[in-house]
Amino acid sequence: MTAPNGAVEKNEHYYEGQGMMAAKAVHTIRFTFQGPDIYWRDVAAKDGGKADVFIDDIDDTLQETVDSFFPECPFPYQFSFIKTGLDPKRPHTIRIVVRGDKNAGSAGTTIRHIGFEFGG
């Protein structure tokens, strides 16, 4: 996976020591998979922003808005989004779109992507 419109951020606490980082509205992360479930990990932090999550470009229905603000220290190991019950026989695409807005307590609008996990 690449960071086409964001940047790579290195951190020893992230999976494989790095994650993708983006803060501007409409920066996106896409991942195509085949399976019944998808799990997204990002880093909640003091400067965390909001992102919209979509599944399958055909429907393009907003699944959830994720708020990545956490007032303490960076928190990289939780699932930020979980979707189960997808058709396991066809490919799916998850799309994370940075909104460029934030929780009132946040110092920024940054989304830090760690990885996707999916059921086989």
Side-chain angles (χ1 to χ4, degrees), residues 15-114:
Y15 177 72
E16 295 186 348
Q18 67 181 20
M20 287 189 284
M21 179 176 103
K24 294 182 181 177
V26 304
H27 279 178
T28 61
I29 300 166
R30 290 179 190 268
F31 178 69
T32 300
F33 65 97
Q34 187 165 336
D37 313 312
I38 186 72
Y39 307 85
W40 175 45
R41 291 186 191 269
D42 85 325
V43 178
K46 293 178 183 181
D47 66 346
K50 294 183 180 182
D52 289 334
V53 181
F54 298 87
I55 303 285
D56 296 331
D57 290 335
I58 296 168
D59 300 339
D60 210 30
T61 302
L62 175 67
Q63 297 292 309
E64 185 176 327
T65 297
V66 172
D67 185 348
S68 293
F69 169 66
F70 186 69
E72 306 294 323
C73 58
F75 190 52
Y77 298 110
Q78 82 285 357
F79 289 119
S80 299
F81 175 80
I82 298 171
K83 178 72 174 181
T84 61
L86 298 168
D87 183 347
K89 295 179 181 157
R90 72 177 193 91
H92 302 281
T93 300
I94 184 169
R95 181 169 46 105
I96 311 297
V97 180
V98 178
R99 292 169 50 108
D101 64 348
K102 62 181 181 143
N103 178 300
S106 179
T109 60
T110 303
I111 299 297
R112 291 175 175 86
H113 167 75
I114 296 294

Side-chain angles (χ1 to χ4, degrees), residues 6-19:
V8 173
E9 179 178 65
K10 296 192 182 286
N11 185 306
E12 66 180 308
H13 300 290
Y14 297 175
Y15 177 72
E16 295 186 348
Q18 67 181 20

